[in-house]
Amino acid sequence: MRVSYKWLKDYVDIALSPPELARRLTMAGLAVENIEPLGADDYILEFELTPNRADCLSIINIAREIAAITGGQLHLPTISVNEGEGDIHRMAAVEILAPDLCRRYAARVVKNIKIGPAPAWMQERLQAVGVRPINNIVDITNYVMLELGQPLHAFDYDLLAEHRIVVRRAAEGEKITTLDGVARKLDGEMLVIADARRPVALAGVMGGLETEITDQTRTILLESAYFEGVNIRQTSRKVGLHSEASFRFEKGVNLEGAVRAADRAAQLIQELGFGEVVPGVIDEYPRPAEPIEINLRVSRVNEILGTDLNQAAVVEIFSRLQFELTVVDENLIRVKIPSYRWGDLRWEIDLIEEVARLRGYDQIPVTLPEGKVTQGRQTFAQKLINQCRELLTACGLNEVITFSFVSPRVFDLIKLPDTSPLRQAVVITNPLSEEQSIMRTTLIPNLLEVLRRNTSRQQSNLAFFELGNVFFPSGSSVALPKETMTVAGAVLGEQWVGWSGKPVIRDFYYLKGIVEAFLTGIGLQNYSFAPQVNEPTFHPGRTAEIIGAEEVIGVIGEVHPDVLENYNLPGRACVFQIDLERVIQHVQTAKRYTALPKYPFIDRDMAMLVKEEVLADQIARVIAANGQPLLKQFNLFDVYRGTQVPPGYKSLAYTLIYQAEDRTLTDEEVNQQHDRIKQALQAELGVEFR
């Protein structure tokens, strides 16, 4: 918004120099971006207005602000129209067919028009703010728009069919040639000003060429209206046409100022001798707006601003703004908001802001913020998740992130039975496609898809993991789905250990070692693996449930050949999935120091024949239960099936380490403990020792 300093002084007494005035206005929230000298006695102030101050797209309203800020006397023009003969209601008619887009339309008729140049002083003012003079009628409408902030348009009255104005939506595909000579195609969402036959203006944007003011114009119809800003903005963008009028309508004009602006333009035309004003005004106003009154509490002002103002001081500030006030009691003031400020003053807090800026932000006491200072910290679950990432990365797995939206087909690809609870997925109401129409209930299909994508690009040795939520219906149409934090991993191919070593096959036992290292690392104690026989996604006999704190927390296994075929995976892939929500409940984060032993240990080997159905985990439980207090650790180091082992049996060999913290053990003590373990194995599992 460009404003002439000299023009401003017509409306308000200014005792400040342009730079000082700019500083004071900027301090009060009306930022002056630039000051440009213009001639010997004038300056151009260029305002950078915030969106809420559309009222200041008017020179008079800027003058109001200057008067309130500096205390200068305001001199507003007196608007009085000397009307001639006739009756506007017999000469013209206005009909609003789109009241949602045009809330008010005012019109005046001026006859005996004499087209010519505008006065020099008016042309100078328009040129000063960047508006090109055209002729006296157009220049007056532009002058009033800058003065009052209300865009106007003048039609050649004699070129309006039936002398009617119809405000309506455009017909789909309808065309209009605007004043710039461009033919524009319209759509049904655009608002037009039409006569009885055709559009004559693109409402709020630009007039039509067919009814423009020319040297032959003898009678004009002045338009002063209120159009909805959103529609004007959309229309302006669609047709690629922006004007000073559209800019003001987009920001919002004074709904109650339409008739005043039409009167002001008619007054200038009549006073300057360019025409004779027809008596009367057409004012179509289907839904008159209700006045806005806001209750302002002085105590609330002081509470928000940290000030100690009395009621008189607050009243004085709004009196400077020329607002109508009613003092209700010693604390409450009722403020009637003028129509030109309806756009930004709607609530009590808006009035408090007015007090702050007009009193001066520098007058608000400086105080330090108060309140408890807290340090941001991660929750236990967040720390654990970060630890999970570090552990799995240290185990050689790369993290991947996949979509939470999946296709229902993935359940068939991993061979889930129809009765599986994992098929009870959250359905997306508006999916982008069928491939992303449900929320995932397991991470395994996503990881298998990652393996497939990489193997199709000649990558055969892969190890991935993902940390993410799986989703289950809450059972209620209004409640959010249940989210469960889950970790899953997948391996395929081999791991190279160096130029001189043999590659390690990434099989079930390789992945089981990673899971054991992972669970131990996060602090889960007493976990175990149990055979899994009813999981069709996995290879029979090569899958296990992961048990923690006597409940199933996950699954691990080699992928079933049929599933591998569904994903076109070469070789043997293995995957695991663990419910972290359950794991979190049982992890032990406390660390306890244990001194290094001072006394030597004694180891004993134990080789045994057991039936094939006896699990190594069962043997480990018996050894652990009967090895106290001397047994420190034990390890399975050999499994053998061969000619020396009877059919249906297997040979297992363990190393057991015995150690005491307070003495050196004797062979007799170790032998007694060792024999006790053997006896327990024979009694409970039918073990035969070799």
Side-chain angles (χ1 to χ4, degrees):
M1 176 68 181
R2 291 168 59 88
V3 179
S4 162
Y5 178 75
K6 188 176 181 180
W7 194 353
L8 277 172
K9 293 181 70 174
D10 283 351
Y11 305 122
V12 62
D13 296 334
I14 305 176
L16 304 175
S17 65
E20 180 60 21
L21 176 64
R23 187 190 70 82
R24 292 284 297 275
L25 291 173
T26 301
M27 288 293 293
L30 296 179
V32 179
E33 189 179 48
N34 186 38
I35 303 177
E36 178 184 335
L38 185 67
D41 60 347
D42 199 6
Y43 290 84
I44 296 298
L45 305 179
E46 191 167 342
F47 288 84
E48 185 68 25
L49 299 175
T50 53
N52 64 312
R53 293 309 305 269
D55 61 296
C56 287
L57 294 172
S58 148
I59 294 177
I60 279 184
N61 283 339
I62 292 179
R64 293 180 197 272
E65 290 289 315
I66 293 173
I69 293 167
T70 66
Q73 184 66 38
L74 196 63
H75 306 288
L76 298 182
T78 301
I79 300 177
S80 176
V81 182
N82 293 324
E83 300 174 335
E85 297 179 353
D87 183 359
I88 190 172
H89 297 287
R90 294 184 178 183
M91 296 181 65
V94 174
E95 183 180 12
I96 300 177
L97 299 182
D100 57 324
L101 302 182
C102 176
R103 296 183 60 184
R104 191 174 191 180
Y105 194 101
R108 265 198 176 272
V109 173
V110 184
K111 61 184 181 180
N112 299 327
I113 290 293
K114 301 172 185 177
I115 300 297
W121 62 267
M122 182 177 289
Q123 293 188 45
E124 289 174 2
R125 289 186 174 182
L126 293 176
Q127 289 174 331
V129 296
V131 177
R132 178 174 62 89
I134 297 175
N135 60 49
N136 51 0
I137 302 302
V138 175
D139 291 353
I140 286 173
T141 60
N142 286 333
Y143 182 89
V144 174
M145 176 184 69
L146 294 170
E147 183 183 59
L148 300 181
Q150 171 67 53
L152 302 173
H153 184 68
F155 297 99
D156 189 321
Y157 171 83
D158 296 317
L159 298 178
L160 294 173
E162 300 181 12
H163 307 309
R164 290 175 56 204
I165 290 292
V166 181
V167 185
R168 60 173 174 82
R169 283 179 168 84
E172 196 69 36
E174 197 169 21
K175 292 184 178 180
I176 183 175
T177 301
T178 47
L179 287 172
D180 56 0
V182 178
R184 304 181 187 277
K185 187 175 181 180
L186 311 178
D187 64 38
E189 295 301 318
M190 297 179 182
L191 187 69
V192 296
I193 310 301
D195 59 13
R197 293 197 302 267
R198 71 211 188 278
V200 294
L202 195 54
V205 181
M206 186 172 283
L209 188 63
E210 294 183 6
T211 56
E212 73 170 330
I213 304 300
T214 66
D215 292 343
Q216 286 72 43
T217 300
R218 292 297 172 262
T219 304
I220 64 170
L221 184 144
L222 283 172
E223 167 194 281
S224 179
Y226 180 96
F227 303 120
E228 287 297 332
V230 173
N231 181 263
I232 300 302
R233 185 182 304 115
Q234 292 172 343
T235 300
S236 181
R237 289 180 179 178
K238 286 178 182 177
V239 300
L241 183 59
H242 299 273
S243 62
E244 287 288 338
S246 67
F247 178 69
R248 283 167 172 78
F249 281 122
E250 289 173 16
K251 301 297 182 182
V253 300
N254 181 6
L255 179 60
E256 298 294 305
V259 173
R260 177 179 170 82
D263 288 346
R264 176 61 171 164
Q267 176 191 17
L268 289 173
I269 294 173
Q270 183 267 324
E271 287 182 350
L272 295 173
F274 298 138
E276 180 183 342
V277 181
V278 174
V281 179
I282 296 176
D283 183 15
E284 289 296 316
Y285 195 3
R287 293 180 293 111
E290 293 292 331
I292 297 176
E293 292 188 351
I294 302 174
N295 289 330
L296 178 64
R297 295 164 293 174
V298 177
S299 59
R300 186 61 175 166
V301 172
N302 291 323
E303 180 183 351
I304 293 294
L305 301 182
T307 54
D308 190 22
L309 300 176
N310 57 30
Q311 187 182 75
V314 176
V315 168
E316 188 271 335
I317 288 173
F318 287 104
S319 297
R320 282 156 48 190
L321 285 168
Q322 297 186 332
F323 286 9
E324 293 184 27
L325 305 173
T326 302
V327 177
V328 179
D329 56 38
E330 61 182 11
N331 183 53
L332 186 64
I333 305 169
R334 184 170 295 119
V335 182
K336 185 176 182 180
I337 308 301
S339 59
Y340 55 84
R341 294 297 300 273
W342 284 356
D344 72 310
L345 300 181
R346 308 292 295 184
W347 310 99
E348 183 182 36
I349 192 67
D350 299 326
L351 296 180
I352 295 174
E353 182 184 4
E354 292 295 291
V355 173
R357 72 182 189 87
L358 288 174
R359 187 169 187 269
Y361 293 116
D362 56 334
Q363 299 299 313
I364 297 176
V366 177
T367 57
L368 292 175
E370 296 182 1
K372 293 183 179 180
V373 179
T374 58
Q375 182 179 2
R377 296 179 181 177
Q378 290 182 328
T379 64
F380 173 72
Q382 290 171 329
K383 292 179 181 178
L384 182 66
I385 289 171
N386 289 338
Q387 188 180 6
C388 291
R389 286 193 172 93
E390 294 174 359
L391 287 168
L392 291 172
T393 302
C395 289
L397 277 64
N398 295 311
E399 184 176 8
V400 297
I401 300 175
T402 61
F403 286 114
S404 298
F405 302 155
V406 297
S407 168
R409 295 188 305 108
V410 299
F411 299 138
D412 296 327
L413 293 177
I414 64 173
K415 296 184 60 179
L416 278 184
D418 294 339
T419 57
S420 173
L422 295 181
R423 284 186 177 267
Q424 305 302 313
V426 177
V427 179
I428 306 301
T429 303
N430 244 346
L432 296 175
S433 68
E434 177 66 20
E435 296 300 312
Q436 295 181 328
S437 60
I438 63 172
M439 305 290 286
R440 64 188 180 189
T441 58
T442 171
L443 299 179
I444 291 175
N446 295 32
L447 289 179
L448 293 177
E449 178 62 28
V450 173
L451 292 180
R452 185 202 64 77
R453 183 180 293 271
N454 281 271
T455 54
S456 67
R457 288 162 175 76
Q458 289 76 50
Q459 300 298 317
S460 56
N461 300 316
L462 305 167
F464 298 119
F465 78 92
E466 180 172 10
L467 272 162
N469 287 335
V470 294
F471 305 85
F472 297 95
S474 62
S476 170
S477 59
V478 295
L480 294 175
K482 178 184 177 184
E483 300 182 33
T484 303
M485 178 57 68
T486 305
V487 60
V491 295
L492 178 72
E494 301 174 337
Q495 178 181 353
W496 293 89
V497 295
W499 66 271
S500 61
K502 294 181 179 180
V504 175
I505 304 299
R506 286 176 168 150
D507 58 5
F508 174 88
Y509 295 105
Y510 174 87
L511 188 60
K512 179 173 176 284
I514 290 177
V515 172
E516 289 176 334
F518 169 72
L519 294 176
T520 301
I522 63 175
L524 183 65
Q525 300 177 354
N526 301 323
Y527 61 84
S528 61
F529 298 85
Q532 173 64 270
V533 294
N534 59 349
E535 194 69 50
T537 302
F538 298 99
H539 195 299
R542 299 177 186 174
T543 179
E545 292 179 338
I546 306 173
I547 311 296
E550 300 183 354
E551 68 172 334
V552 178
I553 60 172
V555 64
I556 180 174
E558 183 179 317
V559 180
H560 196 284
D562 291 344
V563 178
L564 293 176
E565 185 177 350
N566 290 339
Y567 283 92
N568 296 320
L569 291 176
R572 294 159 60 178
C574 297
V575 299
F576 77 87
Q577 180 169 286
I578 296 174
D579 184 341
L580 282 182
E581 303 282 350
R582 296 183 180 179
V583 172
I584 289 174
Q585 301 174 15
H586 304 298
V587 295
Q588 299 292 328
T589 57
K591 305 295 183 182
R592 187 173 63 181
Y593 168 75
T594 302
L596 292 173
K598 298 179 181 179
Y599 301 95
F601 64 86
I602 297 176
D603 60 343
R604 293 281 190 272
D605 289 343
M606 182 183 293
M608 64 191 76
L609 287 175
V610 298
K611 294 180 179 181
E612 284 285 0
E613 59 267 22
V614 177
L615 302 177
D617 185 66
Q618 293 176 275
I619 297 174
R621 289 176 181 273
V622 175
I623 294 175
N626 293 275
Q628 299 302 322
L630 301 182
L631 182 66
K632 290 302 178 183
Q633 67 182 70
F634 59 94
N635 298 297
L636 174 68
F637 68 87
D638 183 57
V639 179
Y640 175 72
R641 296 176 181 86
T643 55
Q644 299 178 2
V645 176
Y649 282 79
K650 58 187 174 184
S651 174
L652 303 179
Y654 288 83
T655 293
L656 288 77
I657 296 177
Y658 300 93
Q659 191 176 35
E661 297 180 358
D662 56 350
R663 66 189 187 283
T664 300
L665 294 176
T666 63
D667 286 340
E668 182 179 357
E669 289 178 301
V670 172
N671 291 338
Q672 289 178 356
Q673 188 73 56
H674 200 66
D675 290 341
R676 189 180 304 118
I677 294 173
K678 285 184 175 183
Q679 292 169 8
L681 289 170
Q682 288 175 329
E684 296 182 29
L685 301 176
V687 169
E688 297 180 15
F689 291 97
R690 303 178 62 186

